[in-house]
Amino acid sequence: MTSVLLWVWKSKLLFIMRLAFSICLFCLLQSFATGTFSQNQRLSINQKNISIEDVIQMIEDKTDYYFMYSALTVDVEQTVDIQANNKPIAEILDGLFKSTNITWKMNGRLIALSVNGGLPSVSRQPRNISGKVTDTSGASLPGVTVIVKETSKGTITSSDGSYILTNIPDDATLVFSFVGMKTQEMPIQGKAIINIVLTEETIGIEEVVAVGYGTVRKKDLTGAVSQINAEKLERESSSNMTALLRGALPGLNVNFSTSAKGLSSAGDMMVRGQKSLRVDASDEKGANAPLIVLDGMIYYGDMSDINPVDIETIDVLKDASSSAIYGARASNGVILITTKKGRKGKPTITVNSSIGLSTRSHTAIGLMSPKRFIDWRIAGYESNEKKQESKSGYYDSPDNLPTGVSVDSWKAYDGSSEASDLTSVWLNRIGFSTTEINNYKEGKTVDWEDYLFQTGVTQDYNVSLAGSSDALSYYWSLGYVDNEGMWYNEDFNTIRSRINLEANVTNWLKVGINTQFAVRDESSIPASLNMYLTPYASSYQDDGVTLMYAPTGNVSVSRHPWLALTYQDRFQKYNNMNSKIYATLTLPFGFTFTSEYIPRFNWNRSYNWYSAQQDDYTAENGRASRENTTVFEWQVNNILKWNRKFGEHSFDLTLVQNSEKYQYWYDGMSRNYFQPNDYLGYHAMQSATADLSITSNDQISTGAAYLARLNYVMKDRYMITGSFRRDGYSAFGQKNPWADFGSLALGWMISEENFFKIKWIDFLKIRASYGTNGNRGVGIYDALSNLATGKFVMIEDGSEKYVSKLYTSRMANSNLKWERTGAYNGGLDFSVLKGRIKGNFDTYFMKTTNLLMERQLPDITGFASVYSNMGQVNNKGFELSLNSTNIQTNDFIWTSGFSVAHNKNEIIHLFGDYTPDENGNMKEVDDETNEWFIGHSTDEIWDYKVLGIWQTDEKEEAAKYAREPGDFKLWDYDGDGYYTNKDKQFLGYRQPKYRVSFRNDFQYKNWDFSIKMYSYLGHKAANNHRKGDDSFYDRGTAYDVPYWTPEHPNNRWARVRSYESGFNVWEDNSFVRIDNIALTYSLPKAFLDGYKIAACNISLVTQNPYVWRPTWDWMDPESQGYAPTYYSLKLNFTL
Amino acid sequence: MVLLGGGCSTDFLEPEPLSFYAPENTFIDADGLNAALVACLSNAKNEYCGDGTPIVTEHVFSDVAVEGTTDKTGPAQDLPAQILPDAELNNCDWTRIGWYWTAGYNRIKYANTVISRIDNAEWKNEAERNNILGKAYFHRARVYYQLTQQFGDVPLILEEITEPRLDFYSCTRKSILQKCKKDLELAANWVVSEADGAPVGDVNKAAVYHLLAKVDLALLDFDGAVAAANAVIDDGYYTLMTERFGTDKSDPTHDVIWDLHQEKNKALPENRERIYLIVNSESLTENSASVKTQVMRQTVPFFGGSGKVKTPTGQPGTTDSPYGTKVGKGTVEYDLVTQYGRGIGRCRPTNYYQYDVWDDPDDLRHSYPNWMRMQDLVYNHPNLKVLGDPYYGKHLQKYDDRGNLLCTDTIRSWYNWPYYKLYMEDPTDLTPDGGYGDWYIYRLAETYLLRAEAYFWKGELTKAAADINAVRTRAGCAPYDAGDINIGTILDERARELYYEEPRKTEITRIAFILAETGKPCYNGKTYSLDNFSENNFWYDRVMEKNIFYGTNVVAPHHTYRAAEWIALWPIPAATINANSLGHINQNKGYPGAETNLTPYIWRDGEGEGEIIPQ
């Protein structure tokens, strides 16, 4: 393989050339190492009149050494005689070249050849250059752009990969670029034939990583950054980018979504642990939400507005040093999303289409079957009404009476002696309505799951156009998603478009725009499950068309699951536009200056009409509401950069000035009593005659920042990054708007050192960082006192009228300020066994102080809490990520990715209030109301310990606690006969101790197969369904799960409608999920070439096919309810 | 092209509220501070409105009712097992003890805002200022009066709290009441009377005096109580309604008792029995300006439950579907639910209130159609008609001819109730819960009964009898003799007249304290003392005597009804005690946590609001 790779090697080239070489060398060694390597290999070669090329071939075949040379300068076709018996390689080489002008140099396993005498003579004569471009497998590459650098001259390779350029100056450099391949530059240096092998762009040490307001080579990185690239994303099938991130990176936790839309909010993701004591992750304050940065703009929009096909890379900044540049909001980590740019070359059109199905996953638990339902009803009555009704067999069917009970005596129990309709007597006793009794007699049942769920169709179509010339690069995409969910009538659709343009106006001015536009439609109203839909109910009225308002006949609880979707008209649309407009000036002395203007617009409409045709709204003759929300937000960044190398020292300085303003306008109205009728719904609010509410709420917030960052790299192996940021935010604007943050990080590429002699380690870098970051996750006005307004009615002069009501609903805190996290991170990046295994290990310690939290107040103050800065929470943990190439042959490649992340936090301080403990020592006061305890973690469970179920023979003991057999037995720790807080125990953790992901990719010829699994381990969740109180036994039905009866006791599931108050039943929630399986077939290039198609592949993908949760007794362990499984067929092609 | 934001100036980062008011620029005049007092009125309204209405809790901790929702484990039935400081104390399906605590202190906060800022505002004259101040004092005193009868010693807060405070101590019940008396005496001088234009729905002078009478009783100042009651009864504006009036005036099937409690009559100018009224409106409902009372949901029997009420033929007899609804194969013709409301039997009257207390057969309050028995309802289930069942349209029966019980849950689904008072039209609800209607908080009949009680304690039994008789005879009863009067007969008359109006537990505990403090012998032959109030008190004896659920430990599906002596005072919510980490709030004896109690603080009169100091 090596012999096809040509390179220029000159020992006396400039430092820069050596640098480039060593990088390439590194990659090469990473990429092609196979077999075992031994420094002291010996070899025997005895040949006469053999070409040097053949000798090289022999050495390569028999040893681990590789040769590198330029066939244009080094004449390997000359023949030599060679005689070597069990000689070291060095000796053989000396002998081989002694009669030639070739010198050799060994660097690790690579042997570089060059011609004596330094630089070849450079002719300035223009000449014709030709050659052939191939990929690493030797296949010719058509369509490669070949450009003479710094000119507009160029061509494109023909179908056999060959090219010809005429009249090219000798000192010119050719640039070879092709989609999906690394761009290569090649100086002509007198050659007439230049053959080039383009390597695919892969993730490796060479990868560039975004670090905020810039990029850095991964090898120069000093912080903890994880990256995934687009190629991986494309294998999977999801229209929501967050699904791709789930389980993809260690230390990034992404919530599970069950909706057709997928996740919306950054608050559904968390980097490393919970730093804030606030868990309001899903609200707009996002106390633990990572910062999302989309193409350099801080992104507050909806996650589902970002089209995954537009994404080039996603970088997650985890440690303080990496994220310090975003200091303001970065204490929860930063997710940087970079979208695609046009690549050099001809315009390409890429089409991604996916069509699939969504269904309930295998973990779904249905409602009880008719037979089980009746048993459950009887058990419910017997369990709950036995004190009132203890007559033997009272609730039993007359066909199934206990021994000793005659039908006559059974009938007489409730005065039904004269009754001849025994079925009705019986069913009346177990709460059947007339409707249900009639259906029972007629043998009619309804399977409500048919009404509640559907097999949804998911569709996702995208087309993009991309390309680039020297002057302009362009990327435009348009996508349409229509996802039906697992719930009946659940539907989400969105149209998304993106334009990324960048123009090099002159050699000193570059301008560009990145714009994303999305229209989301969330109008669909899914069927709604309620537990009062029994199997013997009726779904339609006698006409067979009109829905039953109350299917069981019980108007107070039973509701048809289709009522809302039939009688309510909802219009809920979100139009969002995000844009970045920028210009970059290239200045002398390595300076560049960029100015960015980033506007974001949201226009959201939520309109509802509740038709008077539905019984609930008949009396008020219909109800309708309109809500409009507009958001306009802008950010401005002015960025000055300086990038300069002085010998072994290279500097990269970034200075940024930032300011932002957020404006929000909301207006809503809700009216009823429409006249003459409500047929126009929310389109004619003026035809309503009464107001339910008219509301407006406008908000403004502002922020500003100044920051500086310096990267310094010495000798390519010592790196240092320092940053400073000063941040201002209007929510703290009364006294403490500004805060300062900083960071320092060090990196050492120890494997580059001469003394580093561990041969099986190819690469080793040590990183260490410390930094501080801020969190401003409070409401815009949380520091201000707020007068809540309301209305009230009084009668003056005989007429009712509104009077105004005002009360203070929020205590002011003018001292409110930034929450601050100081974080240490230590990390290792390594590659061992010739690149077979690569990985990263990071360990961290984070100390969050001045926690922004709602400090609990005694409720007698009239305030439940006040926003304050107090306390301290520490987080520590580690992340390990390993990528291995398990098998690599010409036809078959098997790679694995494994990661594990662990985080644990601890509350160190809360309010700083101390009281003496039992021993008289001062002890900081816990917050029992919020279940925060000093020395414990924020997610620790503090509750009564469930010991099991009270059994029949424990009746008397249970009665002391006002419980009965079949109820949960809780531990009365202090034995005082009451369940009080003193009996509560620490029972485990809500957050997983370990999050593990495991991904395998197999490639066999044109087939790719990947399987992604992840697992959360060592945490608990409440499974209160075991209390048997999901519904009332006399009106409802139940999930198809076990329950306790005296005849069939157990120690896990309580009796029907057991004592449920005041405690939770905790279960181990550990699980392993197969998250994604994809099988892809790529059509052969040879076949596609005939149709001028660059690439085409077809995939079968399934998401969430299986989850294994041995200790969890309920449905999906993450959603803790129904969860979807998706199957899709994808077709992608590029023209 | 350099784009600059305003990042450089400090003004840029100043917070800018757009859609809400700030106290500093709002509480500066009569309008602003009156709006703060409207918050007090609105808070007070919630005692009688909404689901799980707090006034139900006042009733189930007394002799007149119990929690009747038998289908869940939350409702307070087994009081010693369920009523604990750590338990859920503010939930419509458990109890509203916690509502009285939290909402009470919220109302105190609203009132204190006005009291603390009274001199920061601009006033036209002293009368304007003191009317507002007096109303604030009324609201605060009314909360403290109730809290001290519910919880005993509680923290006393007399000023607006603008910074975090966690250092509160309990203050003695007695000294809190003394502060209330002082404040109410000032208020009585200044608060505008209805005659002088106080709006209906707001506090007025008579309401202040009415409350002062209660506070005086609690302070054993019986003369003061008589004087305060006189100020209402004798002022010439108020009078018991003895003549027909209002919307049904000319309907001969009704009477003045009916008229008095019809929703549309409560606010009428000619209704001079009304002192302090909650005003709701079916049309003015924006922003929760009006709140549904949900009175039927709380108080009416749960007759709609499937098969709860059967015919002697064993068929489900009743349905709560409204007129014209298809039920099974039939259609509802007798619309019980619209006529009576859809009850869930939460406030389930005791036999004492249903039967025993009614000592006069002519009592209009206990006569059809004011008073409704289950037997007055008819079997309305459409399926009966489909089946040709002979009982369709006939009156309900509790037993069949053989004596078999026909109702499976007589706690929740079979009892009698004062329909005249507990029905409130709910036009927008298919299964009416009780609509946006007015509700009496103070009514002159109670002022008479308060004065009767003051006379009783003074030993002036003839005058006491006269006051009780004023109320009794209006309802068509024969008068009592002076010899009939004891605290039991006064409580009986209060039960008959003020069901679902008075805070019954508060009033019984107040009387229990009076008996304990005075040591006067009680009609039950016992005497009481403050020293062992939590072990031996009149509240417990009265409840056990009259409420057979607790008295005989009736067994419900989830609980056995039990009471205990210490529950005379409710537990201080543990969350408050825990959050108050720099002070100490005492727990009431009998509950876990009382072992760490400290000597409570006292209020001492002084400049301004006086001071709260350790004893």
Side-chain angles (χ1 to χ4, degrees), chain B residues 276-294:
Chain B
Y276 175 20
L277 187 74
I278 288 171
V279 176
N280 279 310
S281 159
E282 280 290 341
S283 57
L284 304 181
T285 60
E286 260 184 82
N287 245 320
S288 303
S290 296
V291 183
K292 281 195 178 189
T293 58
Q294 302 208 18

Side-chain angles (χ1 to χ4, degrees), chain B residues 426-457:
Chain B
D426 191 358
T428 59
D429 197 334
L430 280 181
T431 54
D433 290 330
Y436 301 96
D438 301 345
W439 200 264
Y440 295 120
I441 290 186
Y442 290 160
R443 182 157 61 83
L444 188 65
E446 190 190 18
T447 323
Y448 272 94
L449 295 175
L450 290 172
R451 193 170 69 178
E453 196 189 324
Y455 284 134
F456 164 75
W457 295 118

